[in-house]
Amino acid sequence: MSRNSLSILDNRTGQEYEVEITDGSIRALELRQIKTSPDDFGLITYDPGFSNTASCRSKITFIDGGKGILRYRGYPIEQLAENTSFLEVAHLIFEGELPDPGQLKVWETAIGELCLPPEGIKRIISGFHHDSLPMAMLMSCVAALSGFYPEGLNLTDAAVRRRQLLRLIGQVPALAAYVYRFKKDLPFVTPRRDLPYTRNFLRMVFHASEADYQPNPVLEKALDVLFLLHADHEQNCSANAMRSVGSSRPDPYLAASAAVGALAGPLHGGANEAVLRMLDGIGSKDRVAAHIRRVKGGEVRLMGFGHRVYKNYDPRAKIIKRLADEVFQVTGTNPLLDIALELEKIALEDDYFVSRKLYPNVDFYSGLIYQAMGFPSWMFPILFAVARMSGWVSQWEELVGDKEQRIARPRQVYDGPARRDLES
C-alpha cells in the first residue's frame, strides 16, 4: 500500500528516514534529522536562486509554466484581460474576489481618496540631479512615505494596514509621473480623485497645455491591460524582496521600496528595454537571419524569448501581441515591429529555439507598445512598478497573516577556510 511520504536512505550511515509529503513538497527542516553523528548539524538543501524551494503558501497567483497557464485567484489571465479592468483585478488580488459594481465603486473611491502624495515628495524628487536613475528616485520616494505616515508601523490593526496598502496602490502612479515630469523638466501634475486610475496616470504624465487632457481611449485601454498583465507573478524576485524584507516587520513602505529596488535590475524590470536595444541593434528586417545565426553561435542573446518559469508560450505575450496591433493602428507602425515580427517568425520555426522552448515572453512586445505611447525606455521599469504594486501589497498582507512565516534567514554552505589562529 502506497504512503504519502518519501523514504530517504543515507548511504553514509545506512539509516533510513521517512518524510511526509504534503502538496507535493516536504518540510525542509525534516532533513535536519539526517545526521552522521549527534553533533552533526543535519542536512540542508543547496538551491541558488530558490529554483526549487517554496518559501510560502499563497492563494494569489498560480502558474503552470509547462502548460503556459497564469491565473489570478483561479481566474485565467486571458479571461481577465478580455473582461475586466486593472482596478478590478487589483481588488481580486488584494481582497480575494472580483468586485460587483457596488464594491468596485467603493474600491475605486478608497484608492482615489489616497492618491495624492505628501507635498514633501515633490521636494525630495526636486533634490535629485536630472540624470539620476529613475528607479532610484522612485525607490527613494516609496521609502520616504514611511516617514510621512508613521502609523504604518502599526501592523496589528487590520484597518490601519489596509489604509497603508491602498495608499501605496493609490500613490504610486503619482510618484511615477512625478519622476517622469522631473526628468523631462516639466511641472508636476496633481492627481485627480475623480478620474479612472489609468487615465489619471496618463494625464499626470502627458498633460501639457490642454484645458482638459483626454488620452486616446485605445491607448488608455491598452495600458490598463498591460497593468493588469503585470499585476502579480507569483514569487518572482521583487515579490520575494517584498516578503523577505516584510518578514522582519517594518512598515509596508520600506518593504515596497525594497521590491522597487529588486525590479530595477535588468534581469527583472529592465528586460523589455533590452528587447528594444536588441531590435535597434538588428536595424532592419533583412538582418534578422544574421542575428539568429549569431544567437545560435553563442555570440549574442535573444532578448524577449524564454522565461525562467514558462516552458511554453507565455500567455501574457499572446495578449500583448494583439494589443500591439490595436495600438499601432492609432500611433502608426513602428519599424521595429517589422523586425520583431520577422524575428518571432523565424525563431518559432527553427528547431534550435523550439527544442529549447524559447518562446516570446511578456517583454518581447510590451516595450514596443510603451514606446509607441510616448514613454522613453527608462520609464519601462517604472510602469512595471505601478502595475506590480497591487501584487506586492497583496503578497505583504498575505505574509503578515501567515502564522507559519518567520523572519527570512536562508542557510548557507560555508566553503571558506577552517579555523585559523593569529600568529603570536
Side-chain angles (χ1 to χ4, degrees), residues 1-10 15-21 26 31 33-34:
M1 181 178 177
S2 63
R3 300 193 302 275
N4 205 31
S5 63
L6 175 69
S7 294
I8 302 174
L9 175 63
D10 187 348
Q15 180 75 30
E16 186 171 334
Y17 303 85
E18 186 171 345
V19 178
E20 182 180 354
I21 299 174
I26 64 171
L31 300 179
Q33 65 181 305
I34 304 176

Side-chain angles (χ1 to χ4, degrees), residues 418-424:
R419 170 179 171 141
R420 294 190 290 180
D421 294 317
L422 293 172
E423 296 181 6
S424 58

Side-chain angles (χ1 to χ4, degrees), residues 318-339:
K318 296 178 182 179
I319 299 167
I320 287 179
K321 188 175 181 180
R322 292 197 299 271
L323 278 182
D325 294 336
E326 297 170 8
V327 167
F328 286 126
Q329 286 179 12
V330 172
T331 64
T333 188
N334 182 333
L336 295 183
L337 179 62
D338 293 333
I339 301 173

Side-chain angles (χ1 to χ4, degrees), residues 270-282 302-305 336 340 343 361-368 380:
N272 48 15
E273 185 177 357
V275 172
L276 286 189
R277 286 198 300 269
M278 176 188 71
L279 296 176
D280 275 325
I282 293 173
L302 186 60
M303 307 307 297
F305 279 71
L336 295 183
L343 191 62
N361 60 39
V362 69
D363 300 306
F364 189 65
Y365 284 106
S366 61
L368 288 169
F380 296 173

Side-chain angles (χ1 to χ4, degrees), residues 295-321:
V295 171
K296 293 165 70 172
E299 299 176 49
V300 293
R301 292 181 61 192
L302 186 60
M303 307 307 297
F305 279 71
H307 195 279
R308 180 164 171 180
V309 173
Y310 296 109
K311 304 308 175 188
N312 200 319
Y313 210 107
D314 183 337
R316 301 168 300 172
K318 296 178 182 179
I319 299 167
I320 287 179
K321 188 175 181 180

Side-chain angles (χ1 to χ4, degrees), residues 84-139:
T84 68
S85 68
F86 169 68
L87 275 193
E88 286 178 284
V89 165
H91 184 283
L92 169 67
I93 291 173
F94 187 81
E95 301 283 12
E97 298 292 344
L98 283 168
D100 62 30
Q103 291 170 327
L104 179 59
K105 181 64 176 176
V106 171
W107 175 252
E108 290 173 336
T109 300
I111 290 175
E113 288 177 348
L114 297 169
C115 71
L116 181 62
E119 192 66 21
I121 289 292
K122 295 178 182 177
R123 293 193 294 273
I124 291 172
I125 290 177
S126 299
F128 283 96
H129 294 294
H130 282 278
D131 61 353
S132 296
L133 294 176
M135 285 293 273
M137 298 170 67
L138 181 63
M139 184 178 180

Side-chain angles (χ1 to χ4, degrees), residues 27-303:
R27 295 270 180 174
L29 283 177
E30 290 289 328
L31 300 179
R32 291 269 291 274
Q33 65 181 305
I34 304 176
K35 304 179 178 183
T36 57
S37 64
D39 60 351
D40 184 355
F41 182 79
L43 281 187
I44 62 174
T45 58
Y46 178 61
D47 188 10
F50 308 112
S51 299
N52 196 43
T53 298
S55 62
C56 65
R57 292 179 176 274
S58 181
K59 293 180 170 61
I60 299 172
T61 299
F62 172 79
I63 296 172
D64 186 327
K67 297 178 181 178
I69 291 173
L70 169 61
R71 298 175 189 149
Y72 295 154
R73 302 281 188 180
Y75 291 100
I77 193 67
E78 296 86 353
Q79 294 180 18
L80 293 171
E82 185 70 26
N83 299 294
T84 68
S85 68
F86 169 68
L87 275 193
E88 286 178 284
V89 165
H91 184 283
L92 169 67
I93 291 173
F94 187 81
E95 301 283 12
E97 298 292 344
L98 283 168
D100 62 30
Q103 291 170 327
L104 179 59
K105 181 64 176 176
V106 171
W107 175 252
E108 290 173 336
T109 300
I111 290 175
E113 288 177 348
L114 297 169
C115 71
L116 181 62
E119 192 66 21
I121 289 292
K122 295 178 182 177
R123 293 193 294 273
I124 291 172
I125 290 177
S126 299
F128 283 96
H129 294 294
H130 282 278
D131 61 353
S132 296
L133 294 176
M135 285 293 273
M137 298 170 67
L138 181 63
M139 184 178 180
S140 300
C141 291
V142 173
L145 294 179
S146 175
F148 288 105
Y149 304 115
E151 68 272 20
L153 198 55
N154 182 4
L155 306 188
T156 60
D157 188 319
V160 172
R161 284 204 314 271
R162 188 175 191 274
R163 185 172 179 81
Q164 314 316 310
L165 300 181
L166 296 194
R167 181 178 278 133
L168 276 165
I169 297 174
Q171 290 190 10
V172 71
L175 301 182
Y178 288 177
V179 170
Y180 174 89
R181 303 286 291 195
F182 177 77
K183 295 281 288 183
K184 290 288 188 178
D185 201 20
L186 297 169
F188 298 128
V189 177
T190 302
R192 280 177 44 182
R193 294 182 174 89
D194 60 318
L195 290 181
Y197 192 85
T198 303
R199 187 181 308 167
N200 197 22
F201 173 67
L202 286 169
R203 173 184 165 275
M204 287 188 286
V205 171
F206 293 123
H207 179 76
S209 58
E210 311 94 338
D212 183 23
Y213 172 83
Q214 293 289 335
N216 184 290
V218 173
L219 302 186
E220 179 184 343
K221 174 62 177 176
L223 184 59
D224 197 74
V225 173
L226 284 168
F227 283 170
L228 182 158
L229 295 177
H230 287 92
D232 194 64
H233 206 241
E234 205 217 36
Q235 299 308 308
N236 54 81
C237 180
S238 56
N240 179 67
M242 184 81 179
R243 280 181 172 266
S244 183
V245 173
S247 72
S248 73
R249 296 299 190 265
D251 64 46
Y253 304 110
L254 296 178
S257 70
V260 174
L263 190 65
L267 299 183
H268 194 4
N272 48 15
E273 185 177 357
V275 172
L276 286 189
R277 286 198 300 269
M278 176 188 71
L279 296 176
D280 275 325
I282 293 173
S284 63
K285 183 177 174 180
D286 58 2
R287 296 175 61 187
V288 170
H291 185 80
I292 290 288
R293 287 193 295 271
R294 294 183 65 203
V295 171
K296 293 165 70 172
E299 299 176 49
V300 293
R301 292 181 61 192
L302 186 60
M303 307 307 297

